[in-house]
Amino acid sequence: MIEHVTPEVDEGRFPVKRTIGDDMVVEADVFTDGHDLLGVALLYRRDRDSEWRDMPMTCLPNDRWQASFPVTELGRYRYTVTGWVDHFQTWRRDVIKKVDAGQHVLVELLQAARLIDEASRRAPKADAESLKGWAEQLGLADGPESGRIQLALNEDMAALMAKYPDRSFATLYEKELVVIVDREKARFSAWYEMFPRSSSGKEQHGTFKDCEARLPYIASMGFDVLYLPPIHPIGVTHRKGKNNAPAGGMHDPGSPWGIGSQEGGHKAIHPQLGTVHDFRQFLDKAKSYGLEIALDLAFQCSPDHPYVKEHREWFKIRPDGTMQYAENPPKKYQDIYPLEFESDQWQPLWQELKSVVLYWIEQEVRIFRVDNPHTKPFVFWEWLIREIQADHPDVIFLAEAFTRPTVMYRLAKLGFTQSYTYFAWRSMKAELKEYFTELTQSEVREYFRPNLWPNTPDILTEELQHGGRPAFMARFILAATLGANYGIYGPAFELCEHRPREAGSEEYLDSEKYEVKQWDIERADSLKEFIGLVNHIRRENPALHSDGSLHFHATDHDQLMCYSKSTPDGSNVILVVINLSPYHTHSGWVQLDLDSLRLDPDRPFQVQDLLTNAFYRWNGPRNYIELNPLSAPAHVFRIRRWLRTEQDFDYYR
Amino acid sequence: MIEHVTPEVDEGRFPVKRTIGDDMVVEADVFTDGHDLLGVALLYRRDRDSEWRDMPMTCLPNDRWQASFPVTELGRYRYTVTGWVDHFQTWRRDVIKKVDAGQHVLVELLQAARLIDEASRRAPKADAESLKGWAEQLGLADGPESGRIQLALNEDMAALMAKYPDRSFATLYEKELVVIVDREKARFSAWYEMFPRSSSGKEQHGTFKDCEARLPYIASMGFDVLYLPPIHPIGVTHRKGKNNAPAGGMHDPGSPWGIGSQEGGHKAIHPQLGTVHDFRQFLDKAKSYGLEIALDLAFQCSPDHPYVKEHREWFKIRPDGTMQYAENPPKKYQDIYPLEFESDQWQPLWQELKSVVLYWIEQEVRIFRVDNPHTKPFVFWEWLIREIQADHPDVIFLAEAFTRPTVMYRLAKLGFTQSYTYFAWRSMKAELKEYFTELTQSEVREYFRPNLWPNTPDILTEELQHGGRPAFMARFILAATLGANYGIYGPAFELCEHRPREAGSEEYLDSEKYEVKQWDIERADSLKEFIGLVNHIRRENPALHSDGSLHFHATDHDQLMCYSKSTPDGSNVILVVINLSPYHTHSGWVQLDLDSLRLDPDRPFQVQDLLTNAFYRWNGPRNYIELNPLSAPAHVFRIRRWLRTEQDFDYYR
């Protein structure tokens, strides 16, 4: 019986995710009736290979078996488990007990001779001959028993027998499971979202050249992904004006998500930004600053998009013959026509959309942020991502779906590399702990890679509206340390832009979605240096490069939250203590789970605050914390364990 | 998308278990891309029916849907889930929002006309005509909009439309799941194990007639299942003597598990017990006392069993031509030959074993306690139980497998109605809580019905060896209240038999397995009245008739354990507080989870100790407990809620 194989998502229907270089640990319950000993192997192969490789599994308590294999290549691997009764090992275990009890085992020696003889038929020539020799000696009825016992229990022969078990009755687990291996950025990335048209620093529409001039600024803050809202021509029909004014904006620049005009659609570039050549140049320049460009995939059309004229069959027509615009009743978005993915002409449409992605891949783009994937068919995304990654396994898709958990998780299972989360709306200690425990400690971690955004052009949370600079700092630290992947929408974020369009709204006042903005990025109160410091800490500390080790520690105060992340070998441990209130200084006691930190309860240890470079010597689990949000809302400690006795003086590492 | 259907065991590979009269609650995550409203139905049928029945499912938060169906017949039912996009309900939700916002909906009315017209084609004549009429009226372009809106949102029409959704694109969950419906005794039973040969009260071998004389005694203690170790002829070759003495016992009666002699095998009765006729008479008499007889299925043979001569092919032959006896190296059981279930002749063997079960069913036996099922193939049990229950769905099989959890759980999944547990060896509070939480609050509860035995003829735990009468009382209360199914091996248990064969052994000294015992059942220190009282409390309190409601409450003392069970409607609640130490009086505070007990924190409540009939008035979660093991190791409280104000005086129910 082979059951409860882990990792396995939805009965093997969906792949799990890893990044290159990971050790893929697989476990299974493997057992049989009776008392026979088993042999168990993990089978694995790259998807494109036909040969399985074998990795012997080790028995843990209670019939649990474990092994691992390294994933060293991008793309898909398959794995499964096989098990068999090992008659020789069973025989050996029993005979050792009998011999130890002084019993005669003459008949058992004959049994061994038979088993060894059988094994010799499975072995290649040299080993076969050795085994045959052993079998014959054991089968002789006339040697003294003690000598033959010694022969039968010979360790070399046992090792040889272990190479040729009888697997003809082996059980093979009924499913082949799949792991998708992504590049490291799928697991560890810091995103910066910027509207390229606001990059001139002046009133005028920015260009890719202006964007190039912004690169040193963005790189200095330590980001590695620069995500641009759609860069395509913008429609004029029903174009929205400032603050989403209906039919306002013939002279406004319009929303970048109103894609398509006479100047082209999803494969074109907004003329005011520049040419494809400019874009390629910008991309190269960004690369030289360690910044990778992410584009927006928003599969929808303005009424002026070329598709609307050329492919009326790709849209929904209302009973009165007009084209169906986007709605969220009673809201109407007459500047947007959704594509009809399930029309009779779905195949040419899907191929066209695939060609859009391939077009930008040709322009060297490898990261796509996908707009509202939950309003398009699940099956489309599964197909598209699979098709693209088959030839381009380095492509990353980030799902921007703010909807119910079932749908967000399903999109991740279907192939999205990373996913937006509810992080922006989780502000209390209990809900943060519950949500991030679910994301990082449950099965969800196998397929859903959270990307944490404290703000986006659509989301200015109440906390940021009211909490001032301390709130921006606290939310930034949370995003950057709870999430190995996170992002901010800037310069709004680092400049602490906090004015909503109206009370109760999460929309920005004078939102950049509808106008060109001038940001004073040199403002003295900018968080740019703080952000740079935190991103530096992230890069230097591998504990922050993944989410699986996240562990919450108790505190005696509702506004003080404490959590840690560690590398698997425990060599790097980061401990964050944060004051969740932007308004008041709070103090209290943390109660560390020393085991999880691999700290010896009987030895002092040092914590180094990487934000301030202050050092504290702590002792045992209970330690005092006081945090003033106006100076620093959090400690980001690196834990340094006690290293030597104080023959000279204390060392920590 | 339909996923996470519950209950579902191992991807639907195994059935779940319920008892007759239960409400079978089914839940599933059902969702789709986009924002359309769904219709969802639970489908169910008896296994032998071909028609599915439909039960609409209700939407809980986060895309979870729920419905239930009653299981009113023994045997197997099937169930699954289907879901579809409900275009009319979606249309209606959106139009209501638009109308409320004062928008024109002329085009939407045309859409409705089309949907209603389509529905009319799915409806039988009368409803079809009504719908057609509505569709025509809505389709008219000339009526005033407000009147047509009223028509379109008519509640009667919505109800009619709900009857004829378009299910042609419905998703059907890919699996049909199975629930096995057993009779009530599968869930709630009190077993008494007795060696019939020790029933004479004298030195001589007891008979079924002697057993009849014992029935009033057993019934007075409140048991409802009387389980007899094997009643077949016992082999003489290598028969074991007193205290398992090897080759001791030509003049000893031998172990009842050494089945088979010249006088017959598994279908024969030991001549000293009586005839089949005597057995049938005893069975009838037992029935009149409310006692059902359970027999032992021990599929193994003494060397003198008729099978050994007649069916040598059903046994394993060693290389020297001798027959393989049972072993647990270095222990040898030469009085027992295991059957070889996987020989070439497995089919006649399996059929013969099935005929053994059918033979005893013919003698009106409906409960079988199965000896060591884990040493026979899993596939055999799945086949046997399925075959028997197809014609006899009232037959109960209890698995006596004391082995690793994976194997015990697998046997339960394969069909065993009830299962022995590790209860005998769980004595500390933490391990009792952990184990019974796993058994009653995890998925295990769907297929594994625990049967708790504080002792068996093979198991005299250290606790019972040393703890005296208080230990027997405490272990009895635990078994009878933690487990809706439990049993004791008597009269050893009620007479507090505690002498082991040797220190460190769990075997009884002078074990009844190897000799006829004389038990003085009238001894003044017998627990028979205490047992009778507890069984009476069990019968009177439906909270104790099942295990799913088990809930542990905190106490501030390691030796004081507190737990409750409740009926689903909360009308009957039993709260047990027990002193786990048989040696010392302990006192401390319990901290009740009032929510789980449906108690109002602001009102006092009464607890009635059903063992002593003492009443206490409690207030809030925190209450003082003091238990002296020498008088009563536990309280078994019934909780009586505050009923009326004290206009006259307090009432509780």
Side-chain angles (χ1 to χ4, degrees), chain A residues 1 3 8 11 33-34 63 97-98 103 107 111 175 320 327 329-330 332 374 377-378 404 406 410, chain B residues 1 3 8 11 33-34 63 97-98 103 107 175 319-320 327 329-330 332 374 377-378 404 406 410:
Chain A
M1 307 297 129
E3 59 181 31
E8 176 181 311
E11 310 173 15
D33 43 63
D63 298 321
K97 285 183 193 162
K98 290 176 188 176
Q103 295 174 4
V107 177
Q111 288 167 331
K175 285 170 277 186
D320 63 349
E327 297 186 293
K332 302 179 179 189
H374 57 296
F378 289 136
R404 289 116 52 216
T406 50
R410 171 59 65 127
Chain B
M1 305 298 130
E3 60 181 31
E8 176 181 310
E11 309 172 15
D33 42 65
D63 298 321
K97 285 183 192 161
K98 292 175 186 177
Q103 297 175 5
V107 178
K175 285 170 277 185
D320 64 347
E327 296 186 294
K332 302 179 179 190
H374 56 296
F378 289 136
R404 288 113 54 213
T406 50
R410 171 59 64 126

Side-chain angles (χ1 to χ4, degrees), chain B residues 120 231 415 627:
Chain B
S120 76
I231 58 172
L627 287 163

Side-chain angles (χ1 to χ4, degrees), chain A residues 90-149:
Chain A
T90 305
W91 174 90
R92 200 167 187 272
R93 174 199 63 189
D94 290 348
V95 159
I96 288 171
K97 285 183 193 162
K98 290 176 188 176
V99 168
D100 287 351
Q103 295 174 4
H104 283 293
V105 292
L106 284 168
V107 177
E108 285 79 356
L109 290 171
L110 296 178
Q111 288 167 331
R114 188 187 292 175
L115 290 170
I116 297 167
D117 182 60
E118 284 167 8
S120 75
R121 283 174 234 165
R122 293 186 291 270
K125 194 142 186 274
D127 286 349
E129 274 168 20
S130 309
L131 289 168
K132 220 157 186 79
W134 257 307
E136 273 161 24
Q137 277 184 275
L138 282 172
L140 292 177
D142 52 355
E145 187 173 357
S146 68
R148 287 160 70 205
I149 289 171

Side-chain angles (χ1 to χ4, degrees), chain A residues 24-42:
Chain A
M24 177 71 193
V25 179
V26 177
E27 290 190 6
D29 288 344
V30 187
F31 59 96
T32 185
D33 43 63
H35 300 290
D36 288 345
L37 290 180
L38 301 183
V40 182
L42 168 62

